[in-house]
Amino acid sequence: MNESSSEYHTDSVRERLSMASGYSTRSIDLDAIVVRYETQADRCTITPRECPERDRLTTWLSADVDAFVDLADAR
């Protein structure tokens, strides 16, 4: 198997994300909010637990619930 030639290194990516978002990428407490629907897939929104109010409308990630896996199952 060939080694990856990617120029992206985990630590530098974390550092850039931290600088861009204003949050530490090493230790962030997150909340998961699930909205259940009758006629479409349930949606889960992940957001930082402590997020300044000015950032609440832009600091989140939403996806269908089946896109998420239990951490213990992924290890």
Side-chain angles (χ1 to χ4, degrees):
M1 185 174 186
N2 295 334
E3 288 186 35
S4 173
S5 62
S6 172
E7 294 180 25
Y8 295 104
H9 300 283
T10 304
D11 289 338
S12 65
V13 170
R14 283 190 179 119
E15 184 178 323
R16 282 181 280 155
L17 286 171
S18 179
M19 288 176 15
S21 68
Y23 299 103
S24 168
T25 57
R26 298 218 183 253
S27 178
I28 299 173
D29 291 327
L30 300 173
D31 281 331
I33 303 160
V34 176
V35 177
R36 305 215 182 270
Y37 295 97
E38 289 183 21
T39 60
Q40 62 188 39
D42 295 342
R43 300 283 289 176
C44 181
T45 299
I46 306 294
T47 183
R49 184 165 290 149
E50 294 183 20
C51 181
E53 190 162 339
R54 70 179 190 279
D55 297 338
R56 287 197 180 140
L57 295 176
T58 58
T59 310
W60 50 269
L61 170 79
S62 290
D64 290 348
V65 168
D66 61 359
F68 295 91
V69 297
D70 188 282
L71 180 60
D73 294 342
R75 289 187 175 182

